[in-house]
Amino acid sequence: MPQHPAPPESRRDDPAENSARGFAWAVPLMRAGYAGRGLVYLLVGGASLWSIWHGGSAEGTGEAMGRLQGALGTAILLLIALGMAAYAIWRAVDSIWDLEDYGNSPKGLIARAGMITTGLVHLGLSGLAITVLLGRSEGLGKTELVNRLLASPGGQAAAGIAGALTLGAGGYYLHKAWSEGYRDHMQGNPATLHLNLVLKAGMAAHGVVIAIIGFLMMQAAAYASSHEAGGIGTAFNWLQDKTYGQILVTFLCIGLLGFSLVCFVNAAWCIVPKADDRGLQTLKDMLNS
């Protein structure tokens, strides 16, 4: 029988190769998380545009989830709950083991800390989907949570810090859209190449929403009132009151549909440096070649 040559020592002992094999299990978790995240923004953007088209107003995450009825609605809510839980776990794993290779520099540590915060937010969305599934969504809302935070000792300062961090996260997404930093961890292929402008617009729209939420949280902390603090729905309401608000909200909803596409593209083609094949070509490399 022919003898197959043993793998070269350099490859067998390559720490990068060993690391990729050791964390390969995290890749399906990441893909499930991004798919669930895409479902959330597809639901919010789609339901809001439908409501606007029929003379209503844009809706927040809880309201959009509440629209889901019947067997199909139950299935979608279950997928969202599982996907958001997977995304929360993925962000914790990613941060602890630095699977996206941000490093231990101050900038890298801030990015990794932000992953934990993002994971907690999406774990909350998983819980929201479960409460809607159980028919207990009445009385839930970020405004109520902010009220409780403001009433606790040191709550006003904590709300201000949380708002500043959220505002910073919005700025990060806007910078990522402007610099096209999302290309660094995205596989280069004809699909991602032709969707680049849509991905850029979707990332920017998400940054705008997050920045508005952060600004409103800081405002609530400054005035010790949660009247305008909340989530996506509150951001829509705040923007709606501005000049040409309905037009701005409509464009923002379209942008969130674009961000849902960003999530689905990541679910299919995101590259995890410490868990994927090191030979995969990124979209950045493809565009620069």
Side-chain angles (χ1 to χ4, degrees):
M1 293 179 64
Q3 297 294 319
H4 296 286
E9 286 294 324
S10 60
R11 182 174 179 180
R12 185 166 54 198
D13 298 330
D14 184 356
E17 291 291 337
N18 292 333
S19 175
R21 286 194 294 270
F23 288 106
W25 58 269
V27 176
L29 191 67
M30 174 271 294
R31 300 204 187 287
Y34 273 118
R37 199 181 188 202
L39 271 178
V40 170
Y41 284 98
L42 179 63
L43 175 62
V44 172
S48 293
L49 286 174
W50 177 267
S51 178
I52 291 171
W53 182 262
H54 289 82
S57 57
E59 300 179 346
T61 309
E63 293 171 306
M65 287 184 184
R67 279 180 169 268
L68 297 174
Q69 303 293 329
L72 179 60
T74 298
I76 293 174
L77 284 170
L78 185 59
L79 288 173
I80 288 174
L82 293 174
M84 293 297 87
Y87 190 80
I89 296 170
W90 153 248
R91 277 312 184 193
V93 170
D94 187 14
S95 175
I96 294 169
W97 283 286
D98 192 21
L99 298 190
E100 292 187 275
D101 205 15
Y102 283 101
N104 295 319
S105 66
K107 182 179 178 181
L109 291 175
I110 290 173
R112 292 167 66 181
M115 293 175 193
I116 297 294
T117 304
T118 303
L120 291 173
V121 169
H122 287 81
L123 187 61
L125 289 176
S126 177
L128 177 60
I130 292 171
T131 59
V132 174
L133 269 172
L134 297 176
R136 299 174 184 171
S137 59
E138 294 82 0
L140 289 174
K142 294 183 179 68
T143 300
E144 181 181 348
L145 294 176
V146 175
N147 260 330
R148 294 180 181 179
L149 177 61
L150 290 173
S152 64
Q156 196 169 343
I161 292 171
L165 291 173
T166 305
L167 181 61
Y172 168 77
Y173 280 110
L174 287 168
H175 172 73
K176 201 170 184 179
W178 177 262
S179 65
E180 299 184 333
Y182 54 85
R183 302 181 305 177
D184 296 350
H185 294 159
M186 189 174 290
Q187 186 176 339
N189 57 44
T192 56
L193 180 64
H194 289 102
L195 289 171
N196 190 44
L197 288 178
V198 179
L199 300 177
K200 187 182 182 80
M203 189 70 71
H206 182 58
V208 170
V209 170
I210 297 301
I212 291 174
I213 292 172
F215 168 75
L216 293 177
M217 287 182 68
M218 291 177 66
Q219 183 170 281
Y223 294 101
S225 169
S226 65
H227 177 66
E228 292 204 356
I232 293 177
T234 309
F236 283 152
N237 292 337
W238 179 82
L239 197 59
Q240 181 79 49
D241 293 336
K242 308 305 175 188
T243 306
Y244 304 112
Q246 187 80 331
I247 296 174
L248 294 174
V249 170
T250 301
F251 276 111
L252 197 56
C253 290
I254 294 171
L256 289 181
L257 290 180
F259 186 70
S260 74
L261 181 62
V262 173
C263 295
F264 289 131
V265 167
N266 272 296
W269 294 301
C270 181
I271 296 174
V272 184
K274 292 187 179 179
D276 273 317
D277 182 355
R278 310 287 285 191
L280 290 175
Q281 183 186 38
T282 67
L283 179 57
K284 179 181 179 180
D285 292 336
M286 187 177 185
L287 290 170
N288 291 337
S289 61

